[in-house]
């Protein structure tokens, strides 16, 4: 990792490119046919599932199998991966309040303002809040 965002392996990047180029969700076999070096079906299947777990792809149930599509527009996949990684790290034990407090304390003034603005725009009314 470069410290800024999750890095993808060559096969993951190639699979994302195949899925991004398709106007419709693809099966494992459809993805496999467009990949160089003809990786095994099980390798493609597990890589697709891993990309879905990372938040880059969305799995759509199709009978007993899945079809795959991008979870976000192609230009925003890095953002989706980073957000999923941040969420996972936040949930990996520890004191959530302390972790979030430390994160906010380390933001520069511009990022802190941006975060406050984003929270203000996305905040949902709670049970005791009045609209």
């Amino acid at each position: 990792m470069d410290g800024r965002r999750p890095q993808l392996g060559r096969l993951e990047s190639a699979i994302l490119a195949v899925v991004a180029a398709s106007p419709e969700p693809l099966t494992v076999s459809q993805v496999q046919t467009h990949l160089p070096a003809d990786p095994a079906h099980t390798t493609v299947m597990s890589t697709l599932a891993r990309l879905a777990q990372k938040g880059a792809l969305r799995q759509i149930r199709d009978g007993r199998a899945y079809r795959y599509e991008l979870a976000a527009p192609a230009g925003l996949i890095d953002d989706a991966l980073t957000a999923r990684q941040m969420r996972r790290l936040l949930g990996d034990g520890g004191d959530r309040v302390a972790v979030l407090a430390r994160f906010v304390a380390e933001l520069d003034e511009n990022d802190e303002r941006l975060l406050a603005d984003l929270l203000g725009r996305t905040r949902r009314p709670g049970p005791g809040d009045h609209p």
Side-chain angles (χ1 to χ4, degrees):
M1 289 201 157
D2 64 3
R4 294 194 57 215
R5 65 173 195 229
Q7 286 187 332
L8 300 175
R10 272 184 257 180
L11 181 58
E12 289 176 321
S13 295
I15 286 174
L16 280 178
V18 168
V19 174
S22 176
E24 59 189 40
L26 298 174
T27 64
V28 174
S29 295
Q30 290 170 322
V31 172
Q32 183 185 19
T33 62
H34 291 91
L35 293 172
D38 196 30
H41 182 84
T42 54
T43 300
V44 176
M45 183 171 51
S46 62
T47 304
L48 284 162
R50 189 170 47 253
L51 284 167
Q53 287 177 331
K54 288 181 177 182
L57 296 178
R58 184 176 301 114
Q59 289 180 319
I60 301 165
R61 181 64 88 175
D62 186 10
R64 292 182 6 203
Y66 289 104
R67 289 183 176 271
Y68 294 87
E69 66 183 4
L70 293 180
L76 300 177
I77 289 297
D78 282 346
D79 294 347
L81 289 168
T82 301
R84 177 66 63 96
Q85 183 181 32
M86 289 171 65
R87 181 76 178 139
R88 189 185 94 261
L89 290 171
L90 185 60
D92 280 352
D95 181 350
R96 292 172 65 93
V97 172
V99 171
L100 286 170
R102 180 66 182 200
F103 175 76
V104 171
E106 292 187 18
L107 293 175
D108 66 31
E109 199 173 302
N110 291 332
D111 286 342
E112 189 174 337
R113 220 176 332 209
L114 176 61
L115 181 59
D117 183 49
L118 289 169
L119 288 171
R121 281 194 267 150
T122 61
R123 177 150 259 147
R124 296 181 200 111
D129 294 344
H130 298 285

